[in-house]
Amino acid sequence: MDTMTPEERSILMGKIRGKNTKPELLVRSMLHRCGYRYSLHNKALPGKPDIVLRKHKTVVFVHGCFWHRHPDCKVASMPKSNTAFWQDKFERNVANDKKHRRALETLGWKVIVVWACELKDPEKVLRRLLKELTAERADEKFRYPPAEETLLIAAEAKAKYITQRKKRR
């Protein structure tokens, strides 16, 4: 049974953002510090990707584990009340994610998904992003940040993320 009144629940759910979330800001910060420039939430592309790197024909979705049902993640739990509603909602979200991914790939875009829980280790996420983005540019002169710099970029981004999260509480 829900411990909140419908009005309280509505207020709480209304505070959940779809854009510019803390995990998304962390990924954007790391990419920007590595010299990548991007656009945000392009309405012309299927699914309005969180980050669009036109030069690399790549999009990045930063998915929340709960809303997008990250497999084998403890955050992707099922609410105990109104389970039929939530089951339907989650199935629609996952189906839309697959549909948008297929549409983008059909248009020739490379799709990268970063899960919010992966950002507990931002260095690992940053290395994966850089690997994906530099794979096509192997012949070009591209400055791949050395390990120490990658670690520093990720650590600074994580520190900023944690500080902002503490302020919010």
Side-chain angles (χ1 to χ4, degrees):
M1 183 170 172
D2 200 353
T3 58
M4 296 184 178
T5 66
E7 294 78 23
E8 290 171 330
R9 176 67 59 202
S10 179
I11 290 168
L12 182 67
M13 296 302 282
K15 291 181 179 180
I16 297 171
R17 295 182 286 167
K19 292 185 201 177
N20 303 320
T21 61
K22 301 287 184 192
E24 184 183 325
L25 293 174
L26 178 59
V27 173
R28 285 169 23 190
S29 174
M30 289 189 299
L31 286 172
H32 192 269
R33 297 215 40 198
C34 287
Y36 288 94
R37 299 303 177 253
Y38 45 80
S39 61
L40 304 173
H41 314 290
N42 188 326
K43 293 178 185 177
L45 292 174
K48 293 191 286 186
D50 298 317
I51 301 168
V52 180
L53 297 130
R54 286 188 188 279
K55 184 176 179 181
H56 305 281
K57 193 95 175 178
T58 301
V59 298
V60 179
F61 286 100
V62 183
H63 283 334
C65 299
F66 177 77
W67 295 105
H68 296 274
R69 311 316 292 163
H70 187 196
D72 302 321
C73 180
K74 66 180 181 180
V75 179
S77 61
M78 176 64 72
K80 299 212 183 316
S81 63
N82 205 4
T83 54
F85 165 80
W86 286 109
Q87 185 66 37
D88 183 49
K89 170 75 173 156
F90 295 144
E91 287 173 3
R92 281 193 321 264
N93 285 355
V94 171
N96 281 335
D97 291 342
K98 287 180 184 175
K99 179 180 79 174
H100 295 142
R101 183 180 194 122
R102 279 194 306 270
L104 286 161
E105 288 171 347
T106 301
L107 293 170
W109 289 85
K110 184 177 194 175
V111 179
I112 301 172
V113 175
V114 175
W115 293 97
C117 68
E118 291 178 315
L119 292 167
K120 290 176 187 170
D121 186 356
E123 182 186 6
K124 185 176 177 182
V125 173
L126 180 58
R127 286 192 182 284
R128 179 169 65 98
L129 288 168
L130 293 174
K131 183 179 176 185
E132 296 258 2
L133 291 168
T134 58
E136 296 162 359
R137 300 178 65 191
D139 297 336
E140 297 178 31
K141 287 186 177 181
F142 177 75
R143 189 184 71 82
Y144 186 86
E148 315 82 56
E149 189 176 331
T150 303
L151 179 61
L152 180 62
I153 290 168
E156 287 175 349
K158 186 173 183 178
K160 182 179 174 186
Y161 171 72
I162 290 169
T163 304
Q164 289 173 343
R165 205 167 80 190
K166 285 181 181 177
K167 286 180 184 176
R168 198 175 83 202
R169 290 180 188 177

